[in-house]
């Protein structure tokens, strides 16, 4: 209610108070008598209230079929001849009586010497009705919206009909009518009841805001202040003020935000695509130490705990000499799912290698590492060599065990290549002098240059271009393509093209088309 309306309302109430200070208006019907009837056993079989106590019974006596009642009423009201039976909970202290044509009244039991309703007691409430001539004291009021509340001199008039239409019979005089509804501007008017019928039609001015909510996840549920409004989108009227807007969907993170809407504001709100909620998967194998693949990606060695999006995921464990073991798991956001896989070996002899390796056998650790590297399971190879008591001295141990394990360093255990592939070219560069010495002993310079190219590839993948150039430069003709890639990355197209052309002069059948494509991309 704004300041002007408050002023008018206060002035009208003051005028009426002065004019009627000694003569209050009749309410259409009044209480003639309210008393306990100890000889009436009608309440002996009364229903139980919410606390498990038998109710009391109030018999309301009046010749009128349109009364309604409010209070601590239990069960249905029985409308008998000229009498209503109203069961009330033990301890009730008042009863509201409503009529579509009269002002409501509140019967305060204490005013009649009865503190509260007792169990299994019967009371008689007798009402008398004062009839008014319709043509002399009628007030017909229609309100919109139909759910708006009507107050006459601050007394709430119940809209029993439920359609926003009121037909009241009041004593002659002046009244203040106030119509209000949340989200609408209140309306206050002075009405004089005299001869004839007064008609009051009021349509409140809406102050509601308009809100349209759309979520880019079309299946998400839209909630406004905790109440579901629709799926994917919603549009409607909403009260001015602060509201909480949420988009919810199982296995997705909750999107929640508060917005403040002013009166009559129109607002559109777009909620971005919901993100999958995250959960965890704890994966163990028997035996442990197996490479784990989730949804086609290497995630580590068992046992391990990984973070994944909620939903279904496929888990695979496979290694050299074991049969692939697969399963699926349903992950719930914010929770940890646990799976355990039993590994099946390709043969009993391989199972013995694994079991001895888990117990720290140097020979079996080196064997499993070399086999994994040979099959390009680089992460698994690194896992095994890291279990070795002196993993940094792997070349020396190969020399020691190579003969009895039949390990060929040249073909089966290219550890410089392995460390470069797993993103540790620094470790590969540390091992390079040993490999270079081994290659010179064999008289195989190409082996030395090839490994240096692998190291250059590792630094290039880490975007360490300067170190990559140094390594490619020591790789001889095997490093020409890598040098072209490095200078292309540095923006030196001419030098890059020169190295690509030098690369094409070599006998690189498998790389020819790839290098020609790179030259074409440079515009050369």
């Amino acid at each position: 209610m704004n300041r002007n309306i408050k002023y008018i309302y206060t002035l009208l109430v003051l005028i009426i108070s002065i004019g009627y200070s000694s003569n209050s208006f009749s309410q259409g019907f009044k209480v003639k008598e309210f008393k306990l009837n100890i000889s009436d056993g009608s309440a002996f079989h009364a229903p139980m209230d919410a606390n498990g106590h038998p109710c009391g019974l109030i018999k309301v006596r009046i010749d009128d079929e349109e009364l309604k009642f409010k209070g601590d009423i239990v069960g249905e009201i029985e409308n008998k001849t000229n009498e209503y039976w109203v069961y009330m909970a033990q301890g009730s202290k008042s009863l509201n009586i409503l009529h579509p044509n009269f002002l409501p009244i509140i019967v305060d039991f204490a005013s009649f010497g009865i503190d509260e309703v007792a169990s299994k007691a019967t009371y008689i409430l007798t009402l008398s009705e004062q009839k008014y001539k319709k043509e002399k004291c009628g007030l017909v009021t229609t309100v919109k919206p139909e759910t708006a509340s009507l107050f006459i001199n601050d007394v709430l008039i119940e809209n029993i009909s439920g359609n926003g239409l009121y037909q009241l019979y009041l004593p002659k005089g002046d009244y203040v009518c106030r119509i209000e509804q949340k989200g609408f501007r209140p309306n206050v008017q002075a009405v004089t009841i005299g001869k004839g019928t007064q008609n009051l039609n009021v349509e409140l001015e809406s102050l509601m805001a308009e809100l349209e909510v759309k979520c880019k996840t079309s299946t998400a549920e839209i909630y406004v202040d905790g109440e579901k409004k629709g799926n994917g989108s919603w549009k409607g009227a909403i009260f001015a003020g602060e509201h909480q807007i949420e988009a919810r969907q199982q296995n997705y993170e909750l999107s929640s935000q508060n917005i403040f809407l002013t009166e009559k504001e129109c607002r559109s709100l777009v909620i971005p695509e919901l993100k999958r909620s995250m959960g965890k998967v704890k994966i163990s194998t028997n035996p442990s130490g197996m490479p784990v693949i989730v949804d086609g990606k290497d995630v580590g060695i068992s046992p391990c705990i990984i973070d994944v999006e909620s939903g279904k995921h496929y888990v695979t464990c496979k290694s050299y000499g074991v049969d692939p073991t697969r399963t699926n798991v349903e992950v719930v956001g914010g929770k940890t799912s646990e799976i355990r896989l039993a590994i099946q070996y390709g043969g009993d002899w391989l199972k013995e290698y694994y079991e001895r390796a888990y117990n720290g056998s140097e020979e079996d650790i080196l064997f499993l590492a070399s086999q994994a590297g040979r099959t390009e399971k680089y992460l698994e190879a690194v896992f095994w060599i890291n279990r070795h008591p002196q993993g940094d001295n792997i070349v020396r141990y190969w020399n020691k065990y190579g003969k009895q394990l039949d390990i060929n360093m040249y073909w089966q255990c290219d550890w410089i290549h392995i460390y470069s592939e797993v993103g540790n070219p620094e470790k590969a560069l540390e091992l390079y002098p040993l490999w270079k010495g081994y290659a010179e002993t064999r008289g195989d310079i190409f082996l030395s240059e090839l490994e240096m190219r692998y190291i250059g590839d590792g630094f290039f993948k880490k975007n360490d271009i300067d170190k990559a150039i140094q390594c490619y430069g020591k790789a001889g003709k095997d490093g020409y393509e890598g040098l072209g890639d490095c200078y292309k990355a540095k923006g030196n197209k001419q030098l890059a093209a020169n190295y690509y052309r030098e690369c094409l002069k070599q006998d690189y059948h498998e790389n020819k088309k790839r290098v020609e494509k790179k030259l074409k991309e440079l515009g050369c």
Side-chain angles (χ1 to χ4, degrees):
M1 189 181 298
N2 62 34
R3 185 178 299 175
N4 292 334
I5 292 178
K6 285 184 177 179
Y7 174 77
I8 296 171
Y9 175 68
T10 304
L11 181 61
L12 291 171
V13 171
L14 180 61
I15 294 172
I16 291 172
S17 299
I18 295 172
Y20 288 90
S21 59
S22 59
N23 297 303
S24 60
F25 60 82
S26 172
Q27 293 178 310
F29 54 88
K30 60 182 180 179
V31 178
K32 184 177 181 180
E33 184 181 46
F34 181 55
K35 64 180 182 179
L36 173 66
N37 190 343
I38 58 175
S39 62
D40 190 333
S42 302
F44 186 77
H45 297 291
M48 299 292 182
D49 61 21
N51 296 317
H53 302 133
C55 292
L57 172 62
I58 297 179
K59 294 183 177 181
V60 182
R61 293 179 176 174
I62 189 171
D63 182 15
D64 194 306
E65 300 292 325
E66 297 184 89
L67 290 189
K68 302 291 181 181
F69 302 91
K70 275 191 173 183
D72 295 329
I73 298 172
V74 178
E76 297 293 329
I77 295 172
E78 300 178 34
N79 189 354
K80 300 179 180 295
T81 304
N82 297 334
E83 190 172 80
Y84 294 87
W85 283 26
V86 182
Y87 290 98
M88 300 196 72
Q90 175 185 302
S92 298
K93 299 179 181 295
S94 64
L95 177 65
N96 291 13
I97 302 176
L98 314 174
H99 191 282
N101 301 128
F102 303 123
L103 297 177
I105 63 171
I106 300 176
V107 181
D108 181 8
F109 300 159
S111 299
F112 298 89
I114 297 172
D115 293 333
E116 60 183 35
V117 170
S119 292
K120 296 185 178 182
T122 302
Y123 302 86
I124 307 299
L125 175 60
T126 305
L127 300 177
S128 63
E129 183 177 346
Q130 180 178 350
K131 298 283 188 179
Y132 300 111
K133 293 182 179 181
K134 296 181 181 180
E135 67 275 9
K136 292 185 178 180
C137 51
L139 174 62
V140 178
T141 305
T142 304
V143 299
K144 291 183 179 180
E146 296 177 353
T147 54
S149 298
L150 170 64
F151 294 83
I152 296 182
N153 289 6
D154 280 340
V155 177
L156 174 64
I157 310 300
E158 295 282 347
N159 186 209
I160 296 176
S161 65
N163 58 8
L165 176 65
Y166 300 83
Q167 299 184 62
L168 300 172
Y169 304 123
L170 304 171
K172 295 179 181 180
D174 295 326
Y175 299 88
V176 174
C177 296
R178 186 174 85 254
I179 299 95
E180 60 182 40
Q181 168 83 359
K182 185 179 179 181
F184 293 79
R185 194 180 305 282
N187 183 287
V188 179
Q189 297 189 35
V191 177
T192 299
I193 301 299
K195 292 184 178 181
T197 300
Q198 293 290 327
N199 291 286
L200 185 61
N201 298 314
V202 177
E203 182 171 356
L204 298 181
E205 177 189 356
S206 176
L207 301 176
M208 300 285 280
E210 290 285 338
L211 177 63
E212 182 177 15
V213 181
K214 291 183 179 180
C215 183
K216 289 189 175 181
T217 303
S218 60
T219 52
E221 296 178 335
I222 305 298
Y223 284 79
V224 177
D225 298 328
E227 180 183 354
K228 183 180 176 181
K229 294 294 187 179
N231 289 337
S233 63
W234 173 79
K235 182 178 182 180
I238 190 170
F239 297 124
E242 188 174 24
H243 299 276
Q244 184 183 50
I245 311 299
E246 295 179 331
R248 309 177 188 174
Q249 183 158 323
Q250 187 177 8
N251 290 331
Y252 286 81
E253 292 182 5
L254 170 70
S255 173
S256 178
Q257 58 183 292
N258 288 350
I259 63 172
F260 188 88
L261 299 172
T262 58
E263 294 177 353
K264 297 186 176 183
E265 180 182 2
C266 294
R267 178 90 66 90
S268 293
L269 178 65
V270 178
I271 301 175
E273 197 82 35
L274 299 185
K275 296 180 180 179
R276 280 274 189 176
S277 55
M278 300 298 292
K280 294 181 182 294
V281 182
K282 182 178 181 181
I283 304 168
S284 58
T285 61
N286 183 21
S288 60
M290 292 294 172
V292 178
I293 301 170
V294 176
D295 300 331
K297 296 181 180 180
D298 294 327
V299 297
I301 303 296
S302 67
C304 59
I305 299 178
I306 62 171
D307 295 316
V308 293
E309 292 182 345
S310 56
K312 183 176 288 188
H313 296 273
Y314 297 91
V315 180
T316 303
C317 284
K318 61 181 181 179
S319 181
Y320 170 75
V322 301
D323 298 330
T325 303
R326 299 180 177 89
T327 189
N328 59 67
V329 59
E330 188 76 28
V331 178
V332 178
K335 297 185 178 180
T336 300
S337 301
E338 187 171 353
I339 58 174
R340 184 175 178 82
L341 299 174
I343 304 301
Q344 299 295 323
Y345 296 94
D348 291 339
W349 67 273
L350 196 57
K351 181 178 180 181
E352 293 179 10
Y353 276 110
Y354 274 94
E355 290 177 348
R356 290 203 303 265
Y358 289 126
N359 293 324
S361 168
E362 295 179 356
E363 298 91 334
D364 296 307
I365 288 173
L366 290 170
F367 174 79
L368 292 173
S370 65
Q371 297 302 299
R374 184 172 66 86
T375 55
E376 297 184 351
K377 296 181 175 65
Y378 302 124
L379 289 173
E380 184 179 354
V382 172
F383 165 78
W384 281 114
I385 207 62
N386 286 339
R387 291 177 64 92
H388 197 282
Q390 297 188 47
D392 289 343
N393 296 319
I394 55 176
V395 174
R396 183 165 60 84
Y397 275 89
W398 278 330
N399 289 333
K400 177 180 178 181
Y401 296 112
K403 184 175 180 180
Q404 67 188 78
L405 293 175
D406 191 26
I407 297 176
N408 185 306
M409 292 178 64
Y410 181 72
W411 293 110
Q412 296 185 8
C413 296
D414 189 352
W415 277 91
I416 290 178
H417 187 190
I418 291 172
Y419 278 118
S420 297
E421 285 289 338
V422 299
N424 192 356
E426 295 84 2
K427 180 70 174 178
L429 195 59
E430 180 185 335
L431 295 176
Y432 178 74
L434 294 173
W435 281 93
K436 184 179 180 182
Y438 173 75
E440 291 174 350
T441 300
R442 290 173 53 103
D444 194 340
I445 302 302
F446 174 72
L447 175 62
S448 173
E449 292 177 345
L450 180 63
E451 300 305 322
M452 188 56 74
R453 191 200 79 184
Y454 288 145
I455 299 173
D457 290 343
F459 281 116
F460 187 80
K461 289 178 181 177
K462 294 183 71 173
N463 203 32
D464 192 340
I465 305 301
D466 291 333
K467 283 190 177 180
I469 289 175
Q470 293 176 12
C471 294
Y472 285 137
K474 296 177 182 179
K477 63 183 180 181
D478 208 44
Y480 289 158
E481 184 181 358
L483 286 169
D485 293 340
C486 287
Y487 285 111
K488 179 183 176 182
K490 287 173 122 354
N492 192 335
K493 293 184 179 181
Q494 187 59 47
L495 195 52
N498 290 340
Y499 277 111
Y500 286 147
R501 291 189 185 100
E502 288 296 319
C503 184
L504 290 174
K505 294 177 183 180
Q506 310 305 316
D507 190 18
Y508 281 21
H509 301 292
E510 74 278 10
N511 293 345
K512 186 175 181 180
K513 289 185 178 180
R514 183 176 67 208
V515 176
E516 287 175 344
K517 183 179 179 181
K518 292 179 179 180
L519 266 172
K520 187 176 181 180
E521 290 174 353
L522 288 175
C524 300

